[in-house]
Amino acid sequence: MTPSPIWATPFLDDHHRALAARLAEWSIPHVEEEPADFGPPVRTMLRALADEALLDLIIPAAGSTLAVDVRSVCLIREILAYRSGGLADTAFVMQGIGTAPLWLAGGGALAGEYLDRARQGRTIAAFALTEPDAGSDVAAVATTAVRDGDDYVLNGTKTYITNAGIADHYVIVARTGEAEGARGLSAFLVDADTPGLSAETQDFVAAHAGGILRMNDMRVSASRMVGAPGSAFKLAMQTFDIFRVSVGAAALGFARRALDETVERVGSRAMFGKPMAAIEGVQSKIADMTVALEGAGLQVYRAAWSKDAGLGRCTREVSMAKLVATEAAQEVVDTAVQLFGGAGVLRGSIVERLYREIRPMRIYEGASEVQKLVIARDILKPRS
Ligand SMILES: Cc1cc2nc3c(=O)[nH]c(=O)nc-3n(C[C@H](O)[C@H](O)[C@H](O)COP(=O)(O)OP(=O)(O)OC[C@H]3O[C@@H](n4cnc5c(N)ncnc54)[C@H](O)[C@@H]3O)c2cc1C
């Protein structure tokens, strides 16, 4: 793969460039991208990611600062998305998202075992927040967790949960009622084989393991609460603060692959007696794709650098990066499909796959409209 020109900017350090060079050469296992059962290929991918010590970069070890280097996570996602696809990228990032509430809440003995196994690629992690009537409106979570002696009893339904049905453990958010709305939610660490928990697969537009979780009088020990009662919303937002910018990075990877495939295509296909690449209208499209991608790349790595530099939550920078990169990637991939013509809409063609891969990214971890709200609120807030 061609290195991104953004990687040469001061937003990255030499050790990031070394990581990118190593990953560009790494022999990523070939797995079936759209299997009937995602379990086996996701486990194969996780073992390979662990062997390459990449999961160490997304799940901090006990005794460390319990923080991840956001630029490394972004680079890994960009390269996996470019070189492999959605399965590898999702397998990698979900080990982080599915365990982040544990390490953000301070780890502890119980969490430590789960973190170690997930970091070694031996277990699959998942994070279950969204419900049929609580997506963008997180405060509307209706799953209940009612205290009963030393346990909580959970009832409710989660939907669109990545790794539902193949995960070994979930962090599940439920209403414990310490306060109204978002402040009355708590998180629980739940094993997949807990009685009362069942999963049903959903078929997404792109290769994506996921589905519905149902909790029916599911009993969980109070010792499995993650963090303090009522802290789940804060933990979820802290998790998204870390990983949201990396959605933008993965989008860059898919879109850069689409651009490179298109450059090769227009260079080799003749039309009206000359290569497509010699047609001005085609050149204009290639220029638009490049400008959009490099602009988005700057935003992604600026936001990631801001996080790593300890400049605070950087909520606006992160939202801008996620918004701009996913929207730009959608445009770039759409243009790639257009320039491929009929070959671009044949099932199995690379740009057709990228077209499907990129679409959910403008919806999950905050839809584009929600990112705009975050950006506007930050700009409009009173300044001292
Ligand atoms: C592939 C995939 C994987 C996912 N994985 C997970 C997971 O692992 N765990 C998990 O908990 N959730 C997961 N989700 C859920 C995801 O976070 C939600 O889909 C997302 O938050 C949007 O919620 P919703 O689908 O209910 O859409 P809704 O909240 O119903 O929103 C629908 C649309 O309304 C518009 N909209 C929303 N708010 C506003 C606004 N304020 N102003 C204007 N327009 C607005 C947007 O266009 C939005 O797309 C996943 C989703 C997908 C698609």
Side-chain angles (χ1 to χ4, degrees):
M1 74 180 284
T2 49
S4 164
I6 310 302
W7 300 346
T9 67
F11 290 128
L12 296 180
D13 296 333
D14 284 344
H15 72 88
H16 295 117
R17 285 180 271 276
L19 174 67
R22 172 159 73 91
L23 288 179
E25 298 295 320
W26 179 45
S27 150
I28 304 174
H30 181 73
V31 291
E32 195 186 340
E33 270 289 315
E34 301 191 40
D37 176 4
F38 277 91
V42 170
R43 285 183 199 281
T44 300
M45 191 57 73
L46 285 176
R47 277 193 298 273
L49 290 164
D51 288 348
E52 194 59 24
L54 298 176
L55 296 181
D56 294 349
L57 297 175
I58 201 161
I59 306 176
S64 72
T65 54
L66 292 179
V68 294
D69 180 78
V70 179
R71 287 168 294 172
S72 297
V73 172
C74 285
L75 269 180
I76 295 168
R77 291 198 69 180
E78 182 175 353
I79 294 168
L80 290 176
Y82 183 105
R83 293 195 54 215
S84 183
L87 190 144
D89 169 54
T90 305
F92 171 69
V93 76
M94 279 314 301
Q95 291 302 89
I97 294 176
T99 60
L102 304 180
W103 43 268
L104 286 167
L110 175 69
E113 279 173 42
Y114 282 81
L115 295 176
D116 287 345
R117 286 198 299 261
R119 193 183 306 105
Q120 290 157 7
R122 288 160 55 206
T123 53
I124 300 177
F127 180 62
L129 174 64
T130 305
E131 300 185 354
D133 292 317
S136 306
D137 183 6
V138 176
V141 162
T143 293
T144 52
V146 177
R147 185 81 192 227
D148 182 25
D150 289 340
D151 298 334
Y152 280 89
V153 178
L154 276 71
N155 280 287
T157 303
K158 300 287 177 184
T159 190
Y160 315 132
I161 305 307
T162 302
N163 290 342
I166 65 166
D168 297 286
H169 46 87
Y170 300 89
V171 171
I172 297 180
V173 175
R175 183 161 299 285
T176 38
E178 289 72 19
E180 292 287 299
R183 291 181 204 288
L185 304 175
S186 301
F188 297 87
L189 175 58
V190 178
D191 287 328
D193 59 2
T194 303
L197 178 65
S198 61
E200 185 188 314
T201 304
Q202 285 170 315
D203 196 6
F204 291 94
V205 66
H208 196 94
I212 297 171
L213 284 183
R214 289 201 173 81
M215 288 142 284
N216 191 1
D217 287 336
M218 182 183 75
R219 197 167 270 277
V220 180
S221 163
S223 63
R224 288 184 156 261
M225 185 182 277
V226 181
S231 68
F233 181 74
K234 189 172 166 215
L235 284 172
M237 292 307 116
Q238 286 175 327
T239 300
F240 293 138
D241 268 356
I242 297 167
F243 292 104
R244 191 172 269 159
V245 61
S246 75
V247 179
L252 289 178
F254 290 124
R256 282 210 307 116
R257 177 67 183 267
L259 175 60
D260 286 358
E261 296 287 337
T262 307
V263 167
E264 205 174 302
R265 168 86 177 176
V266 300
S268 60
R269 182 168 170 79
M271 193 185 282
F272 307 116
K274 54 186 171 186
M276 272 182 88
I279 299 173
E280 274 183 27
V282 172
Q283 291 175 355
S284 169
K285 283 190 164 64
I286 298 286
D288 287 344
M289 292 163 93
T290 306
V291 170
L293 262 181
E294 293 197 13
L298 282 171
Q299 295 241 21
V300 165
Y301 285 98
R302 189 274 294 243
W305 169 83
S306 306
K307 297 286 304 172
D308 291 336
L311 303 186
R313 287 188 62 190
C314 309
T315 312
R316 173 160 53 94
E317 290 84 348
V318 165
S319 285
M320 283 167 56
K322 199 257 176 185
L323 172 71
V324 170
T326 54
E327 294 286 337
Q330 182 81 58
E331 289 273 316
V332 166
V333 176
D334 187 65
T335 306
V337 170
Q338 190 69 15
L339 287 174
F340 266 74
V345 287
L346 276 183
R347 273 205 184 276
S349 88
I350 179 128
V351 288
E352 176 269 340
R353 174 176 66 76
L354 294 167
Y355 188 73
R356 290 183 292 111
E357 295 271 26
I358 209 77
R359 190 61 188 88
M361 305 185 108
R362 290 165 56 213
I363 296 172
Y364 62 65
E365 286 193 47
S368 292
E369 294 82 352
V370 173
Q371 306 305 337
K372 287 186 187 177
L373 284 185
V374 173
I375 296 161
R377 280 185 194 145
D378 187 71
I379 288 291
L380 292 170
K381 75 180 174 205
R383 287 170 205 273
S384 48

